[in-house]
Amino acid sequence: MTETLQEQTDLPHQLPEDVPESVAPEGISETSAADGPVKPVKAKNRFASVQPVLEKLFELYPQLFGERFLPLKLGIFQELLAAHPEEFKRESLKAALGVHTRSTRYLQSVAAGQKRHDLQGKPVEDVAPEHVFLSIVELFQRRQARSSEDLRPKLRKQLLAAFEKSGLTRQDYLARIGTPAEPIQVLLDEVLSEVEQQRARRAALKKAFEASGQTVEAFADALGMGVGEVQAALK
């Protein structure tokens, strides 16, 4: 699985990590932020051991653990323990959530930039940009390992959208995601440069429009641009 990009440590009372940390190729979890080290367990055996817990989570919260997975709010681990003390034990719930949040379907929901949801299925907060990035990269590596097709163009498009949506500067974004492996870093540098150029063009266009005193329609016509294109750039 993916190489660790930087130390991703959840604060106390947060959900076990959404994205892979130091995970061995066979799916061995080496760390858990909530309760310290976890003994290595092979992926197949680990899944079988937590299957009853996953089924109970699906039964209780189908909107979160059912046909569609949604990013979970930070702290939901403790909320589940408090809400269902007779149903869940700390270690088995922690292991089940670890399997769930490392699943491809869950990572897809994080990579798509969906909001985190509470136990009632309501969106409550954004997923951190670094978690979105790590999920995108992890999904790319999983898929590329099984495909003869070059999936980097799709990865590039996803990284571009994720950085644009984050609203962060290049420096702040890199500070949050850490240093990825070289092939990803090269692609990321291209993406960051492209978005920066787009932002600079939009800023220049907005400044020119404000100085022109024209309507959007007249300004667009003078530049030979579509009205919709100008309106999008001015947002």
Side-chain angles (χ1 to χ4, degrees):
M1 297 175 73
T2 188
E3 178 182 356
T4 301
L5 304 184
Q6 75 176 96
E7 192 73 19
Q8 295 292 329
T9 305
D10 283 336
L11 297 174
H13 309 303
Q14 290 184 347
L15 177 73
E17 58 273 58
D18 277 344
V19 289
E21 273 192 327
S22 301
V23 184
E26 63 228 319
I28 296 175
S29 176
E30 295 177 343
T31 62
S32 172
D35 297 285
V38 176
K39 293 181 180 180
V41 180
K42 289 188 176 181
K44 184 177 180 180
N45 293 337
R46 188 179 183 213
F47 180 79
S49 68
V50 301
Q51 184 66 18
V53 181
L54 293 173
E55 290 176 355
K56 177 57 68 172
L57 288 169
F58 167 68
E59 176 186 330
L60 294 170
Y61 302 101
Q63 72 275 25
L64 297 176
F65 300 93
E67 181 177 349
R68 186 167 68 108
F69 289 177
L70 292 172
L72 304 172
K73 65 166 288 188
L74 299 175
I76 211 166
F77 172 63
Q78 277 70 26
E79 290 185 12
L80 284 166
L81 284 176
H84 306 282
E86 302 302 321
E87 297 285 357
F88 301 125
K89 302 302 179 184
R90 173 174 289 271
E91 289 304 317
S92 59
L93 179 62
K94 179 178 66 177
L97 287 176
V99 169
H100 177 76
T101 58
R102 287 182 176 87
S103 70
T104 294
R105 286 171 60 197
Y106 185 86
L107 291 176
Q108 286 171 338
S109 72
V110 175
Q114 297 187 56
K115 288 183 175 292
R116 293 186 181 277
H117 290 66
D118 62 17
L119 289 179
Q120 287 69 49
K122 296 179 180 179
V124 292
E125 58 192 341
D126 291 330
V127 173
E130 58 268 30
H131 286 177
V132 175
F133 173 81
L134 286 165
S135 296
I136 289 173
V137 172
E138 171 66 13
L139 288 169
F140 162 74
Q141 292 177 331
R142 291 184 186 184
R143 290 164 177 160
Q144 190 63 82
R146 301 192 303 266
S147 176
S148 58
E149 178 186 357
D150 184 0
L151 300 180
R152 285 176 298 177
K154 182 177 181 180
L155 171 63
R156 188 182 193 282
K157 184 177 180 180
Q158 289 179 306
L159 292 177
L160 192 150
F163 175 51
E164 181 72 272
K165 185 177 180 179
S166 75
L168 297 172
T169 64
R170 182 192 190 112
Q171 182 178 0
D172 289 342
Y173 193 74
L174 290 174
R176 295 186 71 156
I177 68 171
T179 305
E182 185 174 354
I184 303 298
Q185 182 67 64
V186 171
L187 192 60
L188 181 62
D189 284 342
E190 295 177 4
V191 165
L192 299 182
S193 296
E194 181 176 337
V195 173
E196 283 186 322
Q197 291 171 9
Q198 292 175 352
R199 289 176 176 175
R201 286 195 293 268
R202 287 198 297 267
L205 186 68
K206 184 176 183 179
K207 184 176 181 180
F209 169 69
E210 292 172 346
S212 72
Q214 297 177 311
T215 64
V216 173
E217 291 75 14
F219 183 72
D221 184 63
L223 294 179
M225 298 174 64
V227 174
E229 184 182 0
V230 172
Q231 289 175 329
L234 293 177
K235 287 183 180 179

